[in-house]
Amino acid sequence: TALLNALETQASWLLDAAFSAYQSGGATSDSVMRPFNRVQGLSPRTPIFLSRGLSVRGQILAGNGRWREASVVFDSLRPLDPQKANGTIAWSVVLGLAPPAFTPVLDSVARAIPAGPEAEYAHAMLDILRGRVPEGRRRLARALGSRDSATMAESIRGLMIAGDGWGQLLEGDSAGGIRRMRAGLDQSAAPNEETAFPRFQLALSLAARPDTRAEGINWLRYGFDLLPLYKPLTLLALGHAYEAAGVRDSATQAYTHFLRLWDKADPELQGRVREARSALEELNREQPR
């Protein structure tokens, strides 16, 4: 009864508590899912609670490499919230959490966005993701320099600037790209799902540079705790960052934590599992148990 009452008034508190399951060193893909299944079972059977529960459960499964199960959940979510379902599938493709067969959803999601700054940003990011970096940056520059930019929301303007900084970084100007990404993210001022991808790219870039590695590690450790698509990937990235910094114990812990979360990853997504295991073997000089 207490849980039901809390769900009706402060559902986010329970979800925040459920996310703490990821912090356990022995967490597995099943153990982190368990509290969310419990919350889903207790929550009112109204469309808003059902769609939110399906959304987070699908993201947990996808983030842990269990795409086949996640796609079934997204099929159930689509009638309730097609935008959320298709958007999450698209980000799963971008993050390499979905098989290549789902790649066409990126174009369909971008086409579904009404004409305007959001659509320009989406198409520009698709260009950059597909290696057409100069084209993507030109599209962002046109949008930022247009007469309509004066009325553009600060959040989308910040995302455009951060996206352009990522393109600048990919073209080889890592220092300038990082500065521009920082400026864009500061302007968007929204540590939410919309900014998750550029924040993740910034964290990876910071962690890859010796002079900014400590900051990048902090971003990876604390910046994605409520984003189940990203959380396991941050552990793999932390393993590499700690290894590069010579902190072998922390690297071993991060790789092990990642492997436990990806304990039931689909066969076609085993590349990251092999990556983490290979790194552990190098660190431990023996086959990990």
Side-chain angles (χ1 to χ4, degrees):
T1 301
L3 282 174
L4 283 171
N5 291 336
L7 277 169
E8 291 177 0
T9 58
Q10 298 292 344
S12 62
W13 289 13
L14 287 178
L15 290 176
D16 290 350
F19 275 115
S20 68
Y22 278 93
Q23 305 305 323
S24 168
T28 67
S29 60
D30 282 335
S31 72
V32 297
M33 179 65 86
R34 199 170 296 126
F36 292 93
N37 288 338
R38 177 68 171 158
V39 170
Q40 180 88 70
L42 290 170
S43 60
R45 307 301 291 176
T46 57
I48 187 170
F49 278 102
L50 185 58
S51 64
R52 287 177 178 176
L54 288 170
S55 175
V56 72
R57 288 165 64 213
Q59 290 181 55
I60 291 168
L61 288 167
N64 288 329
R66 296 167 64 168
W67 178 254
R68 295 178 182 180
E69 295 170 79
S71 63
V72 174
V73 176
F74 293 138
D75 286 343
S76 298
L77 174 63
R78 191 172 286 108
L80 296 168
D81 192 342
Q83 183 177 0
K84 184 67 174 179
N86 293 330
T88 306
I89 292 171
W91 283 120
S92 298
V93 171
V94 169
L95 294 169
L97 299 171
F102 287 85
T103 301
V105 77
L106 295 176
D107 294 294
S108 62
V109 168
R111 284 195 299 268
I113 302 173
E118 289 82 2
E120 289 300 306
Y121 171 71
H123 287 290
M125 291 298 287
L126 273 182
D127 281 336
I128 294 174
L129 284 165
R130 289 170 172 167
R132 301 190 295 267
V133 180
E135 292 89 336
R137 294 192 68 193
R138 281 196 293 270
R139 189 161 195 159
L140 290 170
R142 284 196 300 271
L144 289 168
S146 68
R147 283 181 292 181
D148 295 335
S149 66
T151 59
M152 190 185 298
E154 289 296 298
S155 57
I156 189 64
R157 178 190 291 276
L159 284 173
M160 285 186 175
I161 293 171
D164 183 59
W166 185 43
Q168 186 176 352
L169 190 151
L170 292 175
E171 288 183 325
D173 183 2
S174 56
I178 286 174
R179 282 195 301 271
R180 189 149 175 79
M181 290 185 78
R182 287 187 196 275
L185 289 170
D186 285 347
Q187 187 164 346
S188 65
N192 52 27
E193 289 186 65
E194 285 72 24
T195 63
F197 184 74
R199 284 191 289 118
F200 186 54
Q201 295 305 318
L202 176 59
L204 294 176
S205 300
L206 292 171
R209 294 165 56 93
D211 57 326
T212 56
R213 183 166 293 134
E215 183 186 1
I217 286 173
N218 279 335
W219 275 77
L220 292 168
R221 287 184 65 189
Y222 305 116
F224 303 88
D225 282 348
L226 304 183
L227 295 169
L229 273 184
Y230 291 83
K231 181 61 179 178
L233 298 181
T234 66
L235 294 169
L236 182 59
L238 277 169
H240 291 308
Y242 281 128
E243 189 175 359
V247 188
R248 297 170 60 88
D249 289 347
S250 294
T252 297
Q253 185 179 33
Y255 287 134
T256 302
H257 198 165
F258 169 80
L259 287 170
R260 286 178 176 146
L261 289 174
W262 273 53
D263 57 344
K264 294 184 177 180
D266 293 347
E268 58 267 41
L269 297 175
Q270 288 290 310
R272 285 185 168 115
V273 173
R274 290 191 292 270
E275 177 186 340
R277 283 179 177 162
S278 176
L280 269 180
E281 290 173 10
E282 183 66 25
L283 285 168
N284 298 331
R285 304 288 181 163
E286 62 182 24
Q287 184 73 25
R289 291 187 245 179

